[in-house]
């Protein structure tokens, strides 16, 4: 099974969960994404790997049109339900892959991509496809899971996330994002990082018993320093761990 | 009509994901057709399915 098929299978089953997911509806993060997009009333925007459409629906009131794409039909069905509930009329959903975006060159003023790039099998190709469909000077805003600039935390977090979600490819450090975007020809405007301290269940919910056990093994094996680095803390008997994030705004050079 | 839900302006930027030069697709009946590779992309419940593996192909 290739990565795209894995992602489809996993996210098809989780679609309803994502419409109410705490981390994916984090309003402050969504507001910041919209702010970094600098949408205008005549802007055409593309939201890639839209999932259940949270980002597309947040950008839509300030843009002319938003096209929202995903590879999972069940996610788009939930997105269309949300759109109806919110009474938003200018979002159109398309089943499409970031690897082969079905759009003409220079079609979009804005591209958003939230909490998805760590699933892309070929991030360099994805960034090139995004650049192709952006208008010159168009804006790309990426929000994604990330890792700090530390080899141990990087390796451990990526290992945990593969166990959490087998379609996980890699969550990149901010410095890796800067390098990849610069090499792809983007001009970087903003790189911001933030963290969330989440219960360990955020990694084990909807996960097989085998992978859940391996996640617990990894956490149990951390020594005191490593726990500190991962911010593994018991709060009222519930183990919490850091999730790192990065938000980037760049323009097509 | 399903086809009516496809905004005309947005149709103008919709291209074939299977062709390297991304030719624009055209709305024919209730499908989106690439005149170059002859793939027909279905529109399911108003959502264009722009995935090459889901397209049918004219022989």
């Amino acid at each position: 099974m290739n990565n795209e098929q894995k992602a489809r299978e996993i996210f098809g089953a989780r679609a309803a969960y994502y419409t109410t997911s705490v981390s994916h509806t984090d309003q402050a993060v969504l507001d910041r994404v919209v702010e970094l997009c600098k949408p205008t009333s005549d802007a055409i925007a593309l939201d890639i790997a839209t999932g259940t459409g949270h980002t597309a629906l947040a950008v839509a009131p300030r843009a002319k049109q938003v096209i929202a794409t995903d590879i999972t039909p069940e996610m788009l069905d939930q997105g269309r339900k949300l759109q109806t509930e919110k009474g938003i009329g200018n979002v159109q959903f398309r089943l499409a892959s970031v690897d082969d975006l079905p759009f003409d060159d220079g079609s979009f003023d804005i591209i958003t991509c939230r909490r998805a790039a760590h699933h892309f099998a070929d991030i360099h190709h994805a960034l090139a496809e995004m650049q192709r469909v952006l208008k010159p000077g168009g804006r790309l805003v990426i929000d994604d899971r990330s890792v700090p600039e530390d080899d141990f935390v990087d390796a451990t977090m990526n290992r945990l996330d593969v166990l959490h979600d087998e379609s996980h490819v890699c969550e990149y450090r901010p410095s890796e994002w800067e390098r990849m975007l610069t090499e792809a020809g983007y001009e970087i405007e903003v790189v911001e990082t933030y963290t969330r301290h989440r219960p360990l269940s955020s990694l084990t919910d909807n996960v097989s018993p085998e992978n859940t056990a391996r996640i617990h093994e990894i956490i149990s094996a951390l020594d005191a320093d490593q726990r500190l680095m991962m911010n593994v803390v018991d709060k009222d008997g519930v183990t919490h761990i850091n999730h790192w994030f990065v938000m980037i705004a760049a323009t097509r050079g | 009509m399903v086809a009516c839900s496809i905004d005309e302006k947005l149709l103008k930027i919709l291209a074939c994901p299977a062709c390297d030069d991304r030719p624009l697709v055209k709305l024919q009946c209730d499908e989106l057709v690439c005149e170059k590779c002859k793939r027909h992309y279905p529109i399911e419940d108003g959502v264009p399915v722009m995935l090459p593996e889901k397209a049918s192909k004219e022989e």
Side-chain angles (χ1 to χ4, degrees):
Chain A
M1 202 188 291
N2 68 27
N3 211 63
E4 217 171 74
Q5 288 167 327
K6 268 190 215 161
R8 248 182 229 145
E9 192 172 274
I10 291 167
F11 291 107
R14 290 182 189 172
Y17 163 79
Y18 274 85
T19 60
T20 53
S21 146
V22 173
S23 118
H24 289 75
T25 54
D26 191 325
Q27 194 59 45
V29 174
L30 263 184
D31 289 349
R32 182 63 178 147
V33 167
V34 175
E35 188 177 19
L36 288 173
C37 288
K38 299 184 180 171
T40 54
S41 56
D42 59 350
I44 307 289
L46 171 64
D47 185 36
I48 292 173
T50 194
T52 54
H54 288 298
T55 309
L57 295 168
V59 172
R62 292 176 54 189
K64 185 178 180 190
Q65 279 283 357
V66 182
I67 296 186
T69 63
D70 203 274
I71 56 168
T72 312
E74 292 87 348
M75 286 283 190
L76 294 188
D77 287 345
Q78 295 288 337
R80 297 203 309 159
K81 274 185 203 161
L82 267 183
Q83 172 170 237
T84 306
E85 281 168 22
K86 288 173 182 272
I88 291 172
N90 59 338
V91 177
Q92 296 210 1
F93 292 91
R94 304 272 186 272
L95 264 173
S97 164
V98 69
D99 292 332
D100 296 298
L101 290 171
F103 305 108
D104 199 5
D105 298 357
S107 292
F108 297 98
D109 302 287
I110 295 164
I111 293 179
T112 50
C113 183
R114 279 198 63 218
R115 310 285 167 93
H118 59 278
H119 295 293
F120 295 163
D122 184 345
I123 186 70
H124 300 285
H125 178 72
L127 290 174
E129 267 294 84
M130 293 181 200
Q131 191 177 46
R132 180 184 67 78
V133 302
L134 264 181
K135 292 177 184 172
R139 300 179 68 75
L140 170 65
V141 177
I142 288 175
D143 172 49
D144 199 18
R145 288 288 301 281
S146 181
V147 284
E149 309 281 339
D150 177 273
D151 291 345
F152 175 78
V153 179
D154 182 335
T156 307
M157 204 66 228
N158 271 293
R159 181 77 194 116
L160 288 169
D161 272 313
V162 169
L163 291 168
H164 165 62
D165 171 356
E166 290 177 357
S167 71
H168 175 96
V169 174
C170 184
E171 45 209 354
Y172 303 98
R173 304 174 184 195
S175 62
E176 289 177 292
W177 273 113
E178 288 182 31
R179 179 178 50 76
M180 292 189 298
L181 284 160
T182 303
E183 283 174 7
Y186 291 88
E187 287 171 18
I188 296 170
E189 275 186 17
V190 173
V191 178
E192 296 171 348
T193 59
Y194 60 100
T195 59
R196 293 282 185 268
H197 203 210
R198 300 236 190 267
L200 195 59
S201 57
S202 59
L203 292 175
T204 56
D205 280 353
N206 302 310
V207 170
S208 70
E210 298 79 21
N211 283 5
T212 300
R214 290 167 78 184
I215 288 170
H216 284 294
E217 274 169 31
I218 291 171
I219 299 298
S220 306
L222 297 174
D223 66 26
D225 285 346
Q226 290 165 340
R227 286 175 71 92
L228 203 60
M229 289 161 80
M230 308 288 299
N231 200 9
V232 173
V233 175
D234 288 327
K235 287 182 182 171
D236 300 324
V238 178
T239 305
H240 282 61
I241 187 168
N242 253 26
H243 289 194
W244 285 265
F245 298 86
V246 65
M247 204 181 297
I248 296 154
T251 54
R252 178 183 159 177
Chain B
M1 269 294 283
V2 169
C4 295
S5 66
I6 307 295
D7 185 283
E8 276 206 18
K9 275 182 189 157
L10 294 183
L11 193 58
K12 284 181 188 160
I13 61 171
L14 210 50
C16 177
C19 291
D20 286 342
D21 58 344
R22 300 286 190 270
L24 299 183
V25 293
K26 290 190 175 164
L27 185 63
Q28 285 181 12
C29 302
D30 56 353
E31 292 181 318
L32 293 158
V33 178
C34 173
E35 292 188 337
K36 190 177 176 198
C37 71
K38 309 296 182 196
R39 279 185 175 81
H40 289 227
Y41 295 94
I43 300 170
E44 293 176 358
D45 297 331
V47 176
V49 179
M50 302 306 292
L51 299 167
E53 68 269 26
K54 295 284 175 70
S56 57
K57 207 170 175 187
E58 286 173 33
E59 294 304 327

